[in-house]
Amino acid sequence: MVKCIYSIDITQLGGFLIKMNYLLERTFENRGYEPDFYQKISEMPHGFPKDTDRFCNVLAYHYNNRNRIVLLTDFDNDGLMCGVLGLAGFSEMGFVVSLFRPNVSDGYGFDKETINKIVEQYPDVKCILTADTGITCYEGVAYARALGIDVLVTDHHVPQGDIKANVWVDPTRADETDGYAGSCGAVVLHQIERFFAKYYLRNEFLVQQIERLQVFAGCGTVSDSMPMYYENREYVRSTIAIMKLIYSNGNRQMVDSIPGCPIYRRAMLGIYVLLDAYKQNGNAVMQDMDSFNEDFIGYYLAPAMNSIKRMDADVMLAYGIFFGADPVASANALLELNEQRKQLVSEKFADLMDGKFIQPWAPYIYITDASSGIRGLLAQKVMELTGEPVMVMGSDGDAYSGSGRCPAWYPFQTYAMSDKWYSAGHQVAFGIGCDDEEGMDALYEHLKKDVPLKKPSREELNVKPDFVISSFNDGDANLDAELLTDYVQNLEWIRPFGPGFEEPVALVKVNSKMCEYSLIGKEKNHVKIKLGNGISALCWFQGDIVREHCHLVKPDVNDENHMYSYYVADTLPFELELKGKFEFNTYNGRTSLQFVGHMSNVEDYDE
């Protein structure tokens, strides 16, 4: 065991310097982190984005003159969080502010038609403030300005030209020197509100009220897969803490006591209502708030919010939770919509894989009849199978449009720029379109030639474990329950995890003949493995492996250690390898250590 050179400054635990668990130390060392790595990514060295002061100066003019400001946001989770924190925050600070409800079917961004809808709905509008959109909406911005309406743009997408807004704040702009380019749209808007409350209103109570709205900005950070560095870490950490406090294990006393104007208080109540809807619908995380962390946002909350744009639904399904007449009904309707989205994606993915459509441009481009909202999800699922860039597109006459997903090693906007096709969005998640089949042919030929040149070797692509737990004395440690329990506790101290600071991956090596296997789940397609020392492993969707490589044992009536049948290995590898993560599991009030992952060295296991 090497000498520990890492330590953690856990400020939320009183600033104590804590010696790092040995397995975390091995993780940091294997990743090549410097001794002060954690301290550096936990600092907040960035200031407010460029031109925040100019932006707030225009806001102050409209604030002092009681002019109406209309918020115009995107409709994905980040955009919806902008809408909630924007309406709640500006209302709390005393602005005359309204929230425009975009039509999902109109697509990303806004144009003249959108501006006309805003003017029709709010004839007294003097200023339009955008969030998570606007930086490439040249026509819409210019038209609003021509009507005498001020336009203030906040965004985090990369600018592609000169936007004619009164002021625009975007931390990805080329001349940015202060803000963090890894911020999501909701964080950018929250920083505007924070700056105005602190430096223009100079009201400490309002500053604290705005700080609480971090809960929405943190949700946007996770859902948009922003780097888990610097201020993003504090945003997400605060989000989890605020959510736990608001929900208080189902006790409404805390959320009901939050001060503020009615709109602000409704926004906070919406958090409670949404979390309670998950609990009432049987969400496992909500049954045990001790395991509540950023994964809940990424795996449950954000996908549900994003189902609105995926399913071309009314944004009031989301805004109704926070500002509608029946927030509970809105929350339940949102969760039901998300279930419909899952089913639709499953059906359309099966169509792609079962040959329903002729695919002349596979394996890089697939044709579908799925709605535009779920093409990105289909591209993600195909990419997970192929490991290569994938575009899923539909046709409208001669033109084709859809969404693309790429592995991190193929930043599409850098590697695939051309006038034969058009794309917008992020490097690895974007919208894509071609005017005709000639453009599709050109895109396919480019990918067919370029992707193999850029693709890393199989060895480079293999996800290397951060540490090895082995029963054969050839790893970093054996299956030591005390060491692993301390490790999982340390994980909770250094959260949140995300892009750039991923949760550690472990490789567990055990004697397959010494383990017991059970099939679990409604369809008996998941596996629970008793590893020993009171530790179990869960392997999702690998039930067929157990059926093929193990035999069933029905315990004797005198077997006091077994109440139910179980499997033992026949043809599994003697040194069975499992790759995944350790965590705590609470069931019926009892907390135990468990491993969640998959059997990774079974020959016929199709990953």
Side-chain angles (χ1 to χ4, degrees):
M1 186 176 296
V2 299
K3 182 179 179 181
C4 181
I5 61 173
Y6 298 96
S7 59
I8 310 172
D9 183 9
I10 307 295
T11 54
Q12 70 266 35
L13 296 180
F16 293 107
L17 205 61
I18 298 176
K19 182 179 178 180
M20 185 179 291
N21 174 275
Y22 168 65
L23 297 176
L24 270 181
E25 181 189 338
R26 295 293 296 141
T27 297
F28 277 37
E29 184 177 16
N30 289 334
R31 291 182 180 183
Y33 293 163
E34 296 295 328
D36 60 349
F37 170 81
Y38 182 82
Q39 179 181 346
K40 284 183 176 179
I41 68 169
S42 299
E43 291 174 348
M44 299 172 60
H46 302 94
F48 291 97
K50 184 178 179 63
D51 286 338
T52 296
D53 53 345
R54 292 182 55 227
F55 193 105
C56 287
N57 193 44
V58 178
L59 276 180
Y61 169 80
H62 292 288
Y63 177 86
N64 293 329
N65 287 279
R66 309 300 297 154
N67 292 334
R68 182 171 302 280
I69 296 175
V70 174
L71 298 172
L72 175 57
T73 77
D74 193 17
F75 37 73
D76 65 356
N77 181 71
D78 189 19
L80 293 169
M81 294 299 100
C82 288
V84 177
L85 78 87
L87 185 61
F90 286 119
S91 296
E92 181 68 2
M93 289 189 287
F95 281 85
V96 179
V97 59
S98 299
L99 177 60
F100 177 71
R101 291 164 50 185
N103 190 330
V104 175
S105 62
D106 290 342
Y108 175 78
F110 57 91
D111 53 20
K112 288 183 179 180
E113 185 176 349
T114 309
I115 302 302
N116 284 332
K117 289 179 181 178
I118 291 175
V119 172
E120 180 181 356
Q121 189 171 350
Y122 303 104
D124 60 342
V125 57
K126 298 297 182 184
C127 176
I128 294 174
L129 193 161
T130 79
D132 194 34
T133 189
I135 203 65
T136 59
C137 300
Y138 310 108
E139 176 189 347
V141 170
Y143 182 65
R145 294 293 305 281
L147 294 179
I149 301 171
D150 286 345
V151 180
L152 298 173
V153 170
T154 72
D155 207 339
H156 73 126
H157 299 96
V158 178
Q160 299 178 7
D162 184 19
I163 195 76
K164 299 300 182 183
N166 295 69
V167 186
W168 55 286
V169 170
D170 188 325
T172 66
R173 56 193 287 179
D175 60 346
E176 177 63 70
T177 58
D178 299 315
Y180 178 42
S183 299
C184 71
V187 165
V188 177
L189 181 60
H190 184 258
Q191 288 175 320
I192 293 292
E193 292 186 330
R194 175 186 276 168
F195 190 94
F196 194 87
K198 184 174 182 179
Y199 295 108
Y200 278 77
L201 299 181
R202 300 181 182 276
N203 183 312
E204 186 58 32
F205 170 75
L206 290 178
V207 169
Q208 294 303 313
Q209 291 289 88
I210 297 302
E211 287 299 302
R212 192 181 288 118
L213 293 175
Q214 289 182 83
V215 64
F216 301 104
C219 288
T221 298
V222 175
S223 67
D224 260 25
S225 299
M226 293 292 101
M228 205 50 67
Y229 293 161
Y230 313 127
E231 47 263 64
N232 284 350
R233 297 186 59 74
E234 184 57 33
Y235 267 104
V236 176
R237 187 177 286 127
S238 295
T239 293
I240 300 305
I242 293 170
M243 282 186 166
K244 285 185 174 181
L245 188 64
I246 286 176
Y247 192 64
S248 298
N249 286 314
N251 188 331
R252 276 192 53 158
Q253 183 175 355
M254 178 57 69
V255 69
D256 287 342
S257 66
I258 292 176
C261 71
I263 291 177
Y264 182 93
R265 297 186 66 217
R266 278 298 309 274
M268 293 300 160
L269 178 61
I271 293 289
Y272 177 94
V273 168
L274 185 57
L275 295 180
D276 196 56
Y278 275 104
K279 183 170 185 177
Q280 300 308 320
N281 280 271
N283 181 271
V285 176
M286 292 305 302
Q287 311 305 316
D288 172 29
M289 289 297 284
D290 289 338
S291 62
F292 186 88
N293 56 46
E294 67 276 6
D295 289 344
F296 177 83
I297 300 172
Y299 295 139
Y300 298 105
L301 190 150
M305 288 288 182
N306 281 329
S307 67
I308 290 174
K309 74 170 184 177
R310 305 294 186 194
M311 302 293 283
D312 198 14
D314 189 340
V315 295
M316 275 307 293
L317 273 180
Y319 288 142
I321 299 170
F322 303 96
F323 308 120
D326 192 341
V328 174
S330 293
N332 288 326
L334 179 68
L335 298 191
E336 174 58 30
L337 179 70
N338 191 45
E339 292 302 314
Q340 296 172 15
R341 186 268 306 172
K342 293 178 185 178
Q343 180 63 32
L344 183 60
V345 170
S346 178
E347 293 172 357
K348 295 301 181 182
F349 180 69
D351 288 345
L352 288 184
M353 296 297 100
D354 293 345
K356 180 178 181 180
F357 307 101
I358 297 174
Q359 303 291 356
W361 299 293
Y364 301 115
I365 306 171
Y366 289 81
I367 302 303
T368 182
D369 63 356
S371 61
S372 59
I374 67 169
R375 292 172 190 170
L377 296 178
L378 295 174
Q380 179 70 30
K381 288 179 72 67
V382 178
M383 185 193 73
E384 290 171 356
L385 283 178
T386 66
E388 296 187 342
V390 173
M391 281 108 242
V392 174
M393 304 172 74
S395 63
D396 182 11
D398 294 333
Y400 293 82
S401 63
S403 295
R405 296 292 185 272
C406 292
W409 53 263
Y410 198 85
F412 186 84
Q413 308 295 350
T414 299
Y415 287 166
M417 296 296 289
S418 172
D419 58 3
K420 298 290 186 180
W421 56 85
Y422 49 88
S423 64
H426 302 290
Q427 288 280 14
V428 297
F430 47 86
I432 181 79
C434 297
D435 291 329
D436 48 37
E437 288 192 3
E438 182 180 344
M440 296 286 279
D441 289 337
L443 176 58
Y444 170 72
E445 291 298 328
H446 171 82
L447 293 170
K448 184 173 71 171
K449 178 181 179 180
D450 195 53
V451 169
L453 296 176
K454 301 292 197 308
K455 187 174 182 178
S457 67
R458 183 173 182 178
E459 181 178 340
E460 291 173 317
L461 289 173
N462 185 39
V463 177
K464 297 179 177 61
D466 293 297
F467 58 87
V468 178
I469 301 297
S470 177
S471 299
F472 303 99
N473 297 318
D474 59 351
D476 296 298
N478 58 23
L479 205 63
D480 184 329
E482 183 177 354
L483 175 69
L484 291 167
T485 297
D486 181 66
Y487 159 75
V488 176
Q489 290 172 338
N490 270 227
L491 288 184
E492 298 309 307
W493 290 340
I494 67 173
R495 285 186 182 276
F497 296 112
F501 187 56
E502 289 82 4
E503 185 171 350
V505 174
L507 177 66
V508 176
K509 298 169 64 176
V510 293
N511 183 339
S512 64
K513 303 292 185 181
M514 301 296 290
C515 299
E516 295 180 6
Y517 310 81
S518 302
L519 299 181
I520 60 175
K522 183 178 180 181
E523 306 296 330
K524 301 298 182 183
N525 54 351
H526 309 308
V527 183
K528 182 176 181 180
I529 308 174
K530 289 185 178 181
L531 302 177
N533 291 346
I535 303 173
S536 295
L538 294 181
C539 300
W540 306 118
F541 302 104
Q542 292 195 300
D544 287 343
I545 291 177
V546 170
R547 292 186 182 95
E548 181 172 349
H549 294 280
C550 304
H551 69 270
L552 185 65
V553 175
K554 296 183 178 180
D556 185 89
V557 291
N558 297 318
D559 187 348
E560 297 180 354
N561 295 318
H562 299 90
M563 294 179 60
Y564 305 101
S565 299
Y566 60 95
Y567 289 83
V568 295
D570 289 326
T571 57
L572 286 173
F574 176 72
E575 292 190 12
L576 181 64
E577 296 183 357
L578 303 96
K579 189 177 290 185
K581 303 172 182 178
F582 285 97
E583 63 181 28
F584 289 133
N585 175 57
T586 300
Y587 182 73
N588 285 339
R590 181 177 177 270
T591 299
S592 60
L593 185 67
Q594 73 176 10
F595 180 87
V596 180
H598 64 269
M599 294 177 275
S600 59
N601 68 330
V602 182
E603 282 188 12
D604 58 350
Y605 169 52
D606 185 6
E607 190 174 10

